[in-house]
Amino acid sequence: MFNLFKKKKEEVKKPAYLPLKVREVVKETADTVSIYFEQPEPFLEYKPGQFLTLVIDFEGKEQRRSYSLCTSPYVDPFPGISVKRVPGGLFSNFLNEKIHPGKTINVLKPLGHFTTDFHSKNQKHFFLVAGGSGITPIMGILKSVLANEPKSKVTLLYCSRHEEHIIFKKELGELENKYSGKLNVIHNLSQPTDSWTGLKGRLKSETLSDLVKTAEGESDFQTEYFICGPEGILETTQDVLSSLFIPKEKIHKESFYSAAAEAAHEAASTAGGLTRDVTIELSGEEHLVSVSPDKTILEAGLDQSLNMPFSCQSGLCTACRGKLISGEIKMDEDDGLSENEIKEGYVLCCVGRPLTDNVKIRIE
Ligand SMILES: Cc1cc2nc3c(=O)[nH]c(=O)nc-3n(C[C@H](O)[C@H](O)[C@H](O)COP(=O)(O)OP(=O)(O)OC[C@H]3O[C@@H](n4cnc5c(N)ncnc54)[C@H](O)[C@@H]3O)c2cc1C
Ligand code: FES
């Protein structure tokens, strides 16, 4: 069934939003709040480490941002997110200033692959590296391991700027006491006070390398790595892991923002080229979308009122993932996809631009 995309706006199905009522807002640090939601009916199903897409109207325009769940479905009765202010940022400042218990926020169902299976029989060493607000999904993972895997253990290397910027400082301290010998939290502060005796300065490759070598030396435990934080921390950690020949399958990474992706997107939008028609298969139905050179495939689809899935719009979260059935596309950024996903032909519509006239993408 081929539809030349003549649907009128009012006929287009709106995405299924889930309204979540805010139960509690906790000020974690001067620039971060945690927002906990009442459980909806039925309960929100999610995997530790996944994210919610918040959908909010600003001046009549619907906007979306992704926020990782900082809670564990195995431990926490109410799902929650933690949001750190970004200077001049639309959502992060709104959520820090204007959200109170009783408010309702529309979200899309939890998504994301920054997770694993938790099982009581596992005997793993979870090596977690977090920077700043990157602690949010890591916190959900950490709590899930401690609650579900009695034979596993966790090392958390957590980089913050200053003592006062450590998100979940008290909760982490309490967990370390409760799970003594199973949880080791190592803080690294880039600008600590003089009295700080822990790791300081930028995260050093040698320090990380020593910790990884020790973890890898324990033959009783299978190591699994989770990294989430700013580009510098992701890069340093990935470089160290690759220099120690840690297999990629053991490494999970999540990125909240990429300046490089933003620059690549800007450059590609103004690079010129041809307008091409792209076929998008969505829920079994085909739609023809005309993509001009200044637009990504997602932007063109949304302009034409096509209900395509998306969240971050920066090639990081994979919410817009589809499979390339024919033709060739160029992605401004493909860091959100694993090597296997790329080999299997997956593409990200939010950063994808057609290079040929026969592009067809199936979105499952
Ligand atoms: C999968 C995923 C999970 C995420 N989880 C969390 C989370 O748990 N907690 C959290 O606080 N954020 C999280 N984020 C980031 C979040 O989605 C927003 O990008 C962030 O809150 C900024 O949105 P904003 O509307 O305030 O800023 P915008 O209005 O979008 O941006 C304002 C300006 O700031 C720059 N900018 C945007 N984001 C950043 C950043 N992170 N660092 C530096 N500069 C930036 C942009 O270039 C822009 O010029 C996540 C992102 C992804 C993709
Ligand atoms: S919408 Fe997040 S990767 Fe495309």
Side-chain angles (χ1 to χ4, degrees):
M1 163 182 25
F2 198 78
N3 171 358
L4 269 186
F5 203 71
K6 283 187 183 141
K7 284 190 174 189
K8 289 194 197 112
K9 255 189 178 167
E10 58 271 22
E11 288 170 359
V12 175
K13 262 193 285 162
K14 287 283 255 178
Y17 298 141
L18 175 65
L20 290 185
K21 192 168 171 194
V22 175
R23 176 189 167 84
E24 194 186 1
V25 179
V26 178
K27 193 152 182 70
E28 302 286 355
T29 66
D31 62 1
T32 303
V33 287
S34 292
I35 301 169
Y36 295 94
F37 300 102
E38 300 287 0
Q39 277 290 2
E41 203 48 70
F43 271 31
L44 185 77
E45 273 188 41
Y46 66 97
K47 292 184 187 154
Q50 285 193 310
F51 65 88
L52 290 176
T53 303
L54 271 59
V55 185
I56 303 180
D57 260 41
F58 288 95
E59 294 171 359
K61 189 162 182 246
E62 187 190 279
Q63 310 263 8
R64 300 180 183 194
R65 297 287 186 280
S66 328
Y67 291 98
S68 304
L69 287 142
C70 59
T71 45
S72 160
Y74 306 111
V75 180
D76 298 299
F78 304 103
I81 56 171
S82 296
V83 183
K84 184 170 177 190
R85 281 181 196 265
V86 166
L90 186 64
F91 268 61
S92 58
N93 289 291
F94 175 80
L95 294 168
N96 266 270
E97 286 161 20
K98 300 271 176 7
I99 291 301
H100 308 288
K103 279 220 173 205
T104 296
I105 303 180
N106 281 333
V107 306
L108 301 181
K109 70 173 183 165
L111 285 173
H113 308 290
F114 190 64
T115 187
T116 188
D117 290 327
F118 300 91
H119 199 283
S120 59
K121 291 207 173 102
N122 284 347
Q123 183 158 328
K124 292 189 191 170
H125 186 166
F126 284 82
F127 197 109
L128 316 176
V129 182
S133 58
I135 189 67
T136 45
I138 296 273
M139 200 65 186
I141 290 163
L142 178 152
K143 289 200 265 184
S144 303
V145 179
L146 296 173
N148 278 357
E149 301 197 357
K151 291 190 267 179
S152 293
K153 62 179 186 172
V154 180
T155 295
L156 168 64
L157 177 57
Y158 182 17
C159 305
S160 310
R161 195 174 320 147
H162 188 273
E163 285 93 323
E164 313 231 305
H165 288 102
I166 302 176
I167 307 170
F168 304 126
K169 187 177 177 196
K170 185 161 168 268
E171 198 175 348
L172 284 169
E174 286 166 0
L175 285 169
E176 248 191 319
N177 286 337
K178 182 170 172 192
Y179 293 99
S180 167
K182 282 192 58 161
L183 171 64
N184 179 21
V185 180
I186 305 164
H187 290 285
N188 186 118
L189 300 184
S190 58
Q191 294 164 25
T193 50
D194 290 345
S195 57
W196 178 255
T197 53
L199 297 178
K200 56 179 95 164
R202 278 171 64 98
L203 176 60
K204 292 182 189 64
S205 303
E206 305 75 48
T207 312
L208 186 55
S209 179
D210 288 347
L211 288 166
V212 172
K213 280 184 201 155
T214 309
E216 290 293 329
E218 296 172 329
S219 52
D220 291 350
F221 292 89
Q222 232 189 308
T223 42
E224 193 162 344
Y225 296 85
F226 286 82
I227 326 162
C228 185
E231 278 170 284
I233 288 169
L234 278 169
E235 219 173 275
T236 304
T237 310
Q238 283 179 291
D239 287 351
V240 166
L241 294 179
S242 112
S243 72
L244 294 172
F245 305 104
I246 307 297
K248 288 210 167 102
E249 312 79 74
K250 288 170 67 171
I251 307 169
H252 310 257
K253 69 177 168 71
E254 184 85 298
S255 181
F256 288 177
Y257 172 71
S258 162
E262 199 167 278
H265 189 268
E266 285 282 323
S269 305
T270 51
L274 297 175
T275 295
R276 298 182 193 272
D277 284 343
V278 168
T279 305
I280 304 285
E281 192 185 309
L282 195 58
S283 312
E285 206 174 312
E286 289 189 349
H287 305 267
L288 199 62
V289 174
S290 170
V291 185
S292 58
D294 58 331
K295 300 270 174 182
T296 64
I297 294 167
L298 176 72
E299 283 168 337
L302 295 178
D303 281 354
Q304 291 167 51
S305 303
L306 191 56
N307 181 18
M308 291 167 74
F310 72 95
S311 181
C312 74
Q313 284 189 272
S314 14
L316 300 171
C317 75
T318 71
C320 63
R321 195 182 81 157
K323 201 157 193 179
L324 187 65
I325 305 300
S326 63
E328 274 178 57
I329 78 157
K330 170 186 170 299
M331 282 188 274
D332 302 342
E333 162 73 53
D334 62 6
D335 213 31
L337 292 172
S338 68
E339 265 178 27
N340 274 348
E341 285 174 306
I342 293 172
K343 266 190 222 144
E344 286 167 32
Y346 285 104
V347 293
L348 298 173
C349 295
C350 74
V351 285
R353 297 166 199 274
L355 290 178
T356 56
D357 284 328
N358 57 341
V359 171
K360 178 173 171 182
I361 296 172
R362 178 177 299 141
I363 297 176
E364 283 137 8

